[in-house]
Amino acid sequence: MTVVSTPREFPAPLPNPETQPFWDAAREGRLLIRHCSQCDKAHWYPRAICPFCHADGTLWKQASGRGTVYTYSVMRRAAVPFATAYVTLEEGPTLLTNIVDCDLDALSIGMPVEVCFARTQSAEIFVPVFRPA
């Protein structure tokens, strides 16, 4: 698992029974996304009903962790400047995330990125973030 240390502290999410497998996998350094067992499309955010065909048979699958920056915004007025971005995964879904370990002036739309994980305020929970590939 690639854990990055960031100057910003991420708030700890509140897992629920539907998202607990996602957070358990993140703690192990794996990125999971939901796939429909009927139409086989991947979707984000995690939910039990497919947003494409409305089937109720979705399951977790490990994502490649590779994607591209769809768009981003740099927050320079924060105590520690940071970047948020929408990253489109190779599997199709787009996630709202943070970009870490990079020169904020070098960010660009279409930039290839890869998942890594950052600690949250809870030492037990890690969140997926992305860095240049």
Side-chain angles (χ1 to χ4, degrees), residues 98-119:
N98 282 253
I99 305 294
V100 298
D101 285 351
C102 72
D103 174 2
L104 298 178
D105 294 323
L107 280 172
S108 63
I109 291 172
M111 172 184 276
V113 291
E114 64 186 5
V115 74
C116 50
F117 296 86
R119 288 188 188 279

Side-chain angles (χ1 to χ4, degrees), residues 23-70:
W23 298 115
D24 291 343
R27 187 175 39 251
E28 297 168 0
R30 298 180 300 120
L31 178 64
L32 297 183
I33 56 176
R34 293 288 250 188
H35 285 257
C36 178
S37 59
Q38 298 297 313
C39 68
D40 199 36
K41 290 184 180 178
H43 59 271
W44 182 261
Y45 65 88
R47 55 192 168 238
I49 306 250
C50 176
F52 302 107
C53 72
H54 308 293
D56 63 359
T58 63
L59 44 112
W60 292 105
K61 288 187 183 178
Q62 187 164 330
S64 68
R66 294 182 299 275
T68 57
V69 174
Y70 176 77

Side-chain angles (χ1 to χ4, degrees), residues 4 6-8 10 67-74 81-88 95-104 106-108 111-116 128-133:
V4 294
T6 62
R8 287 183 55 236
F10 291 94
T68 57
V69 174
Y70 176 77
T71 192
Y72 67 94
S73 184
V74 176
F82 66 97
T84 60
Y86 279 104
V87 169
T88 302
L95 288 71
L96 178 61
T97 187
N98 282 253
I99 305 294
V100 298
D101 285 351
C102 72
D103 174 2
L104 298 178
L107 280 172
S108 63
M111 172 184 276
V113 291
E114 64 186 5
V115 74
C116 50
V129 294
F130 287 79
R131 65 180 177 193

